[in-house]
Amino acid sequence: MTVYLVGAGPGDPGLLTRRAAELLAMADVVVVDRLVDRRILEEVPATALIIEAGKHGHDPSSSTTQEVINDLLVKHGLTAQIVVRLKGGDPFVLGRGGEEVQALAEAGIDVEVVPGVSSALAVPALAGVPVTHRGLSQAVTIVSGHNGVTGDVNWSSLAALGSTLVLLMAVAARGDIAAALIRGGLAPSTDVLAVEWGSTPSERRVTTSLSELGTIELVAPCVIVVGPVAGLGLSISNRPW
Ligand SMILES: C[S@@+](CC[C@H](N)C(=O)[O-])C[C@H]1O[C@@H](n2cnc3c(N)ncnc32)[C@H](O)[C@@H]1O
């Protein structure tokens, strides 16, 4: 019995790994996250059972809880041949993949992890923004904005680090987070890039500054890059999604 914890990448099916595509083509059951691009499910055989198990940021009423997802994985892991747990981006980057591995291990079910292309790095890259760049930033910090400034993230320390910050799940709290970073020492004029729905037909990019971040319109899912690299906007010619 093996459950395959597979990263689906940020959206574009071209960013799936070969191992992910191979497993999807053989799957009997696919337990899929809300943010996984629907084009990727075209890789799944018509006979497979597809179970939607999405979480909706701040809306518990339209979310499947982590406990229910874990139970689903254990239930199908004990009975089906090939169960793929398909998660957006990389399963181990702010995706609670580790908790799913623990639940499966407790039930005596083996897990194979197939890393995916994380939105945290790929979405900026596709907008011509390298998260590190000699002379601008030698480090990158990926951080969840889900709990805003009331959670356990020390935003002043992050401001002092001097690394590029990549914020996920930060749309709702973006104004508060920007203010906390400015209080922590980042210049209000610090460059910011926000990309909604990266690598999908709905992609939208906005460049702004830290002081303006709270005032611009943004919708989730969105990757927000804070730091001098965000202003680079290298000229690249990626194909449209
Ligand atoms: C629960 S986290 C999961 C991250 C995922 N494990 C990864 O590695 O990309 C979900 C957040 O990732 C970001 N995200 C995921 N896919 C995205 C996309 N295609 N475009 C922009 N942001 C995305 C958004 O910040 C979203 O709220």
Side-chain angles (χ1 to χ4, degrees), residues 122-137:
V123 167
L126 294 167
V129 166
V131 290
T132 65
H133 189 78
R134 229 156 90 93
L136 290 183
S137 172

Side-chain angles (χ1 to χ4, degrees), residues 10 35 88-90 93-94 118-120 123 168-169 195 197-198 221-223:
L35 279 185
D90 181 277
V93 177
L94 297 177
S118 178
S119 66
V123 167
L168 303 189
M169 298 177 276
V195 185
W197 290 108
C222 183
V223 170

Side-chain angles (χ1 to χ4, degrees), residues 77-102:
L78 290 171
T79 52
Q81 279 292 320
I82 299 195
V83 179
V84 171
R85 169 61 173 137
L86 191 60
K87 297 176 76 73
D90 181 277
F92 281 177
V93 177
L94 297 177
R96 303 189 69 173
E99 292 166 53
E100 295 178 8
V101 172
Q102 286 170 331

Side-chain angles (χ1 to χ4, degrees), residues 23 30 48 55 61 114 153 190:
L23 286 166
V30 181
K55 291 210 209 62
S61 64
V114 181
V153 176
T190 303

Side-chain angles (χ1 to χ4, degrees), residues 89-179:
D90 181 277
F92 281 177
V93 177
L94 297 177
R96 303 189 69 173
E99 292 166 53
E100 295 178 8
V101 172
Q102 286 170 331
L104 288 161
E106 276 167 25
I109 299 169
D110 292 336
V111 185
E112 178 181 317
V113 174
V114 181
V117 172
S118 178
S119 66
L121 305 180
V123 167
L126 294 167
V129 166
V131 290
T132 65
H133 189 78
R134 229 156 90 93
L136 290 183
S137 172
Q138 293 300 304
V140 57
T141 305
I142 299 168
V143 56
S144 168
H146 183 70
N147 293 322
V149 292
T150 57
D152 52 9
V153 176
N154 185 332
W155 295 100
S156 301
S157 304
L158 289 183
L161 268 181
S163 74
T164 301
L165 301 178
V166 178
L167 313 178
L168 303 189
M169 298 177 276
V171 166
R174 64 192 183 284
D176 291 341
I177 291 172

Side-chain angles (χ1 to χ4, degrees), residues 19-94:
R19 181 66 177 146
E22 188 178 271
L23 286 166
L24 286 173
M26 300 190 301
D28 299 305
V29 178
V30 181
V31 181
V32 61
D33 263 357
R34 186 180 64 90
L35 279 185
V36 170
D37 194 291
R38 300 297 109 170
R39 292 169 294 176
I40 286 172
L41 297 181
E42 289 167 18
E43 310 273 336
V44 176
T47 51
L49 172 65
I50 297 180
I51 302 172
E52 300 282 348
K55 291 210 209 62
H56 199 289
H58 291 275
D59 180 7
S61 64
S62 60
S63 296
T64 311
T65 66
Q66 191 61 53
E67 292 67 32
V68 169
I69 295 172
N70 293 351
D71 289 348
L72 270 174
L73 294 176
V74 169
K75 178 179 140 199
H76 290 285
L78 290 171
T79 52
Q81 279 292 320
I82 299 195
V83 179
V84 171
R85 169 61 173 137
L86 191 60
K87 297 176 76 73
D90 181 277
F92 281 177
V93 177
L94 297 177

